[in-house]
């Protein structure tokens, strides 16, 4: 069992399998993003070994993320490999995706044992989708989302609240998710990496989203806790749960149960801090998993109390230099 200095059990890991993406979302990365050379990436076999080691150390939930995880070549091999541990140490294997490849992969993911999936969607308008993602194909993503639903997966839509971009679509998104029996989580934009624009121009506090929703719907606090950072409300009219991830307006670090591994094998003990541990070296230097476990145990003891992101009107941004696509979400 992995326990940090603040007595938080680490039962959840997110593994980013690539920093590459077929989209260039305006809040995530600049249009001309520099990606890592492919030679720096861990192989799929190495990523599988890492996953297995963490499961042996008591991790119950594993999320594959990126960049866009489904653009990595042969990625289904990793899902198949780690999928063998479902019910054998692992309680849940899941992923976060932009949906662009789901038409092709949803059925196979379900067969492997993926039962819940997070799909990012910030707008229901085709033109706006292009503006936000720069490269995305709206119809393809919509077909992917519906394919995941048809395959039998529980779909959760993730929407980053963006001032002046999708604030006028909040009600529409809630209704659409309700009609399709999707859960929906709103996320505050985080100051991660340079994007060629000031974050304050994008930032919409979720307190404003809640106010807006409260004037249209009957919302009650929902006690559900998924082990993640979201707090939930139940919407009477649409009978769905609406989640709120508020790294800026309400810090949720006290219940943090996770660490994140990048595609190059760096383990970040906190999304919002720079400290990291290199797992690639012990992974490559020794076939003995105990060597790797020892490095992980020691690094967990450095897990900080929390992040300290700031976006404020004086534009004193406190951000981390790496983009969200490096550590994944
Ligand atoms: N490409 C996949 C996707 O978009 O779902 C997985 C990786 S993406 C980095 C994971 C999540 O992070 C997405 O829901 C995305 O909207 C969110 N995200 C990206 N940059 C962010 C930022 N600066 N602040 C808040 N959320 C961000
Ligand atoms: Fe790609 Fe996801 Fe970042 Fe958008 S949010 S650019 S889909 S990694």
């Amino acid at each position: 069992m992995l326990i940090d200095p603040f007595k938080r059990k680490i039962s959840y890991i997110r593994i980013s399998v690539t920093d590459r993406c077929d989209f260039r979302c305006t809040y995530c990365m600049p249009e001309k993003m520099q990606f890592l050379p492919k030679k720096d990436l861990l192989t799929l076999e190495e990523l599988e070994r890492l996953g297995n080691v963490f499961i042996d150390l008591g991790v119950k939930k594993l999320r594959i993320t990126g960049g866009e995880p489904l653009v990595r070549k042969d990625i289904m091999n990793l899902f198949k490999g780690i999928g063998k541990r479902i019910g054998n140490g692992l309680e849940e294997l899941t992923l976060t995706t932009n949906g662009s490849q789901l038409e092709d992969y949803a059925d196979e993911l379900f067969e492997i044992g993926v039962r819940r999936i997070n799909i990012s969607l910030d707008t229901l308008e085709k033109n706006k989708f292009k503006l936000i993602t720069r490269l995305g194909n709206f119809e393809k993503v919509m077909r992917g989302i519906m394919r995941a639903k048809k395959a039998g997966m529980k779909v959760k839509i993730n929407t980053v609240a963006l001032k002046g971009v999708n604030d006028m679509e909040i009600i529409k998104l809630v209704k659409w998710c309700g009609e399709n029996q999707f859960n929906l989580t709103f996320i505050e934009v985080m100051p991660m990496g340079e994007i060629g624009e000031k974050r304050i121009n994008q930032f919409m506090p979720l307190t404003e989203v809640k106010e807006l929703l409260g004037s249209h719907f009957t919302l009650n606090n929902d006690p559900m806790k998924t082990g993640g950072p979201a707090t939930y409300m139940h919407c009477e009219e649409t009978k769905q749960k609406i989640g709120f991830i508020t790294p800026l307006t309400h810090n949720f670090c006290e219940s943090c149960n996770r660490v994140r591994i990048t595609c190059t094998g760096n383990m970040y003990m906190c999304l919002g801090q720079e400290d990291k541990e290199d797992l690639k070296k012990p992974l490559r230097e020794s076939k003995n998993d105990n060597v790797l476990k020892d490095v992980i145990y020691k690094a967990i003891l450095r897990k900080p109390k929390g992040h300290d992101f700031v976006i404020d009107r004086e534009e004193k941004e406190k951000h981390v230099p790496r983009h969200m696509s490096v550590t994944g979400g």
Side-chain angles (χ1 to χ4, degrees):
M1 181 64 77
L2 296 169
I3 299 182
D4 80 359
F6 304 94
K7 307 240 174 329
R8 295 170 297 192
K9 277 188 202 151
I10 308 305
S11 55
Y12 182 4
I13 55 167
R14 294 189 175 195
I15 302 184
S16 170
V17 295
T18 176
D19 66 324
R20 285 167 196 257
C21 189
D22 50 346
F23 294 2
R24 300 283 185 281
C25 300
T26 50
Y27 54 83
C28 180
M29 55 177 76
E31 192 162 10
K32 294 200 167 37
M33 180 71 174
Q34 279 292 321
F35 295 112
L36 293 164
K38 285 194 180 150
K39 65 171 179 42
D40 290 358
L41 270 56
L42 295 185
T43 65
L44 292 176
E45 293 72 21
E46 287 169 333
L47 288 167
E48 186 177 331
R49 183 175 161 212
L50 262 185
N52 276 316
V53 163
F54 275 97
I55 297 166
D56 292 343
L57 288 170
V59 161
K60 303 281 176 231
K61 182 170 168 182
L62 196 153
R63 177 177 298 277
I64 303 290
T65 178
E68 174 45 40
L70 298 181
V71 299
R72 176 136 183 198
K73 192 161 172 273
D74 298 328
I75 187 64
M76 284 299 127
N77 292 345
L78 179 66
F79 278 99
K80 279 183 205 145
I82 296 180
K84 289 187 196 134
R85 296 294 303 266
I86 301 172
N88 174 22
L90 187 65
E91 286 170 8
E92 185 175 48
L93 174 60
T94 182
L95 75 153
T96 306
T97 173
N98 64 23
S100 68
Q101 313 299 313
L102 271 180
E103 254 189 303
D104 296 334
Y105 289 131
D107 292 341
E108 200 175 345
L109 285 166
F110 187 82
E111 263 167 47
I112 289 166
V114 175
R115 293 292 176 266
R116 291 197 312 142
I117 186 166
N118 286 5
I119 308 175
S120 304
L121 183 74
D122 305 311
T123 176
L124 290 167
E125 293 172 19
K126 187 178 162 184
N127 293 341
K128 206 184 284 176
F129 186 82
K130 195 81 185 174
L131 282 177
I132 297 173
T133 64
R134 294 189 179 110
L135 301 178
N137 177 333
F138 180 71
E139 280 93 359
K140 199 160 192 284
V141 168
M142 280 296 162
R143 288 197 300 273
I145 295 175
M146 294 308 164
R147 191 65 182 236
K149 178 182 173 183
K150 194 155 170 253
M153 281 185 263
K154 187 90 193 119
V155 173
K156 179 159 77 77
I157 299 293
N158 280 346
T159 300
V160 177
L162 298 165
K163 189 167 67 182
V165 177
N166 63 3
D167 40 3
M168 62 299 276
E169 275 193 82
I170 302 281
I171 303 297
K172 200 165 132 193
L173 277 157
V174 169
K175 287 187 177 159
W176 179 78
C177 286
E179 281 157 20
N180 284 289
Q181 287 147 11
F182 300 151
N183 285 331
L184 169 63
T185 291
F186 291 104
I187 307 173
E188 281 175 347
V189 77
M190 286 177 265
M192 296 193 66
E194 283 300 330
I195 51 164
E197 192 187 339
K198 288 208 164 54
R199 291 285 178 184
I200 192 76
N201 297 339
Q202 303 179 322
F203 179 58
M204 180 176 188
L206 292 193
T207 42
E208 286 179 23
V209 172
K210 280 188 190 173
E211 261 172 46
L212 187 69
L213 292 176
S215 62
H216 279 74
F217 301 112
T218 319
L219 298 177
N220 296 309
N221 284 332
D222 189 304
M224 184 169 86
K225 267 274 148 218
T226 55
T231 54
Y232 293 89
M233 298 193 101
H234 185 263
C235 179
E236 286 294 324
E237 288 82 357
T238 61
K239 309 270 175 263
Q240 108 235 65
K241 286 189 198 309
I242 306 179
F244 301 90
I245 300 186
T246 52
L248 278 300
T249 54
H250 178 255
N251 179 313
F252 41 70
C253 303
E254 72 278 359
S255 59
C256 183
N257 62 350
R258 67 196 57 195
V259 293
R260 297 160 198 263
I261 325 282
T262 68
C263 56
T264 55
N266 283 322
M267 174 167 75
Y268 282 90
M269 285 68 85
C270 173
L271 178 66
Q273 302 285 358
E274 279 295 79
D275 187 25
K276 60 177 190 279
E277 183 65 45
D278 173 22
L279 301 183
K280 188 196 260 177
K281 198 161 171 272
L283 189 69
R284 292 196 171 162
E285 278 180 3
S286 171
K287 295 252 172 300
N288 181 351
D289 285 350
N290 288 333
V291 174
L292 194 54
K293 284 179 187 168
D294 203 42
V295 174
I296 296 169
Y297 270 123
K298 288 193 181 125
I300 295 293
L301 296 177
R302 304 203 307 269
K303 186 168 162 66
K305 197 162 181 206
H307 67 72
D308 44 14
F309 290 132
V310 176
I311 298 178
D312 69 21
R313 301 209 177 276
E314 283 97 58
E315 296 176 358
K316 278 188 255 134
E317 275 176 19
K318 171 118 182 25
H319 69 275
V320 293
R322 63 181 190 283
H323 294 90
M324 187 76 174
S325 54
V326 174
T327 9

